[in-house]
Amino acid sequence: MAINTNATKLAQLINPEVMGAFVERKLEAEFKFAPLAVVGHSLQGQPGDTLTFPTWAYIGKAEDVAEGEAIPLSKMGQSKTNVKVKKAGKGIELTDEAVLSGLGDAIGEGERQLAESILDKVNHDCFEVLKNNVTLQHSATGVVNADVFADALVKFKEDVHEGQVAFVSPKRYAEIRKDSAWVTVSQGEKFINGQVGEIMGCAIVVSNTVPDNMILIVRAGALGLELKRDTMVESDRDIIHKSTVITIDKHYVAYLKDASKVIKITMGE
């Protein structure tokens, strides 16, 4: 008996290229640190798994120079930081019955969850970079209010009025929104994805990744995200169990690009 050419085949239902494109769009739309991170693609198509970038030491402010005197020369100091590319991955297995006869859209749900898993991992790594490599720090006690932010922002020195984002836990968000300086923002006024309001010039984003005893104030350009390869989705058949395995992976590295643009507030009891 000939095969019905109009029959639906799993190869048509599960399209890795379409899934990969969906994941990339989701990452671009829901990446928590856009527009704070500088995203680069210089590693794509290049050999090696390590990114080396320079860190420059400031030469200091200019000095008074008397007539006829030599202008003082300062040596520019440079150090190098190496960060290694990592691979993040996740996989699922769908039986033929789940795809063809199960309730709901198994393929669509799998696609959504795979994209979500990669997005969560990239966001988590960015948080870890910011939490563990901060040089500007401020300590406070009690509830989080406008005074805590005002005192912490002094760490930015004279650039206190530049825009920044503060990542807080749900508990601290509850405290901040009770402050008289709190401003709730509407959809059209948001500076960053996930922003719920603003206080003392800081756009507030709530995240379960941030512990209750910490607040991260971040400015654009603080974080670097280098992509070695676009998100890859692949599938393979298990002809014995009649199922399809789908995997997703992403090669990237998140690193602190500018330590002068991050303040970590540590909250005590």
Side-chain angles (χ1 to χ4, degrees), residues 52-185:
T52 301
F53 60 94
T55 302
W56 295 95
Y58 180 44
I59 60 174
K61 65 180 179 180
E63 303 173 23
D64 293 330
V65 180
E67 181 180 357
E69 295 296 322
I71 295 178
L73 303 178
S74 297
K75 183 178 181 180
M76 294 179 63
Q78 182 194 54
S79 59
K80 293 182 179 180
T81 301
N82 297 323
V83 287
K84 191 170 184 178
V85 173
K86 63 166 57 181
K87 176 176 68 176
K90 197 73 171 178
I92 58 173
E93 184 174 7
L94 300 174
T95 64
D96 291 0
E97 290 81 0
V99 174
L100 299 174
S101 306
L103 294 175
D105 180 9
I107 296 176
E109 178 63 18
E111 180 183 57
R112 186 193 68 80
Q113 291 199 26
L114 286 173
E116 195 69 31
S117 69
I118 289 293
L119 180 64
D120 284 347
K121 176 58 175 172
V122 174
N123 280 326
H124 177 270
D125 286 352
C126 289
F127 268 120
E128 289 300 307
V129 167
L130 293 174
K131 289 190 294 186
N132 299 324
N133 297 278
V134 177
T135 57
L136 302 180
Q137 302 193 41
H138 176 72
S139 299
T141 57
V143 300
V144 179
N145 52 30
D147 290 342
V148 172
F149 285 97
D151 293 339
L153 288 172
V154 174
K155 299 291 183 179
F156 284 142
K157 298 182 180 180
E158 66 266 24
D159 297 326
V160 293
H161 299 296
E162 185 179 329
Q164 51 264 322
V165 177
F167 294 93
V168 304
S169 69
K171 174 185 176 180
R172 297 304 182 179
Y173 168 52
E175 297 173 352
I176 296 169
R177 66 190 303 192
K178 296 174 184 177
D179 194 278
S180 59
W182 169 256
V183 177
T184 301
V185 298

Side-chain angles (χ1 to χ4, degrees), residues 26 33 56 91 115 122 134 144 153 187 189 232 241-242 249:
K26 189 174 181 67
F33 291 91
W56 295 95
V122 174
V134 177
V144 179
L153 288 172
Q187 182 67 31
E189 298 172 325
M232 178 172 284
H241 299 94
K242 295 301 179 181
D249 68 87

Side-chain angles (χ1 to χ4, degrees), residues 185-197:
V185 298
S186 63
Q187 182 67 31
E189 298 172 325
K190 292 184 178 181
F191 169 70
I192 187 172
N193 182 39
Q195 181 182 354
V196 293

Side-chain angles (χ1 to χ4, degrees), residues 3 14 21 34 60 62 76 110 122 125 228 240 248 265:
I3 298 177
I14 300 174
M76 294 179 63
V122 174
D125 286 352
K228 180 70 172 178
I240 296 178
I248 186 173
I265 301 176

Side-chain angles (χ1 to χ4, degrees), residues 242-253:
K242 295 301 179 181
S243 62
T244 301
V245 175
I246 308 173
T247 63
I248 186 173
D249 68 87
K250 192 172 189 67
H251 294 245
Y252 65 94
V253 57

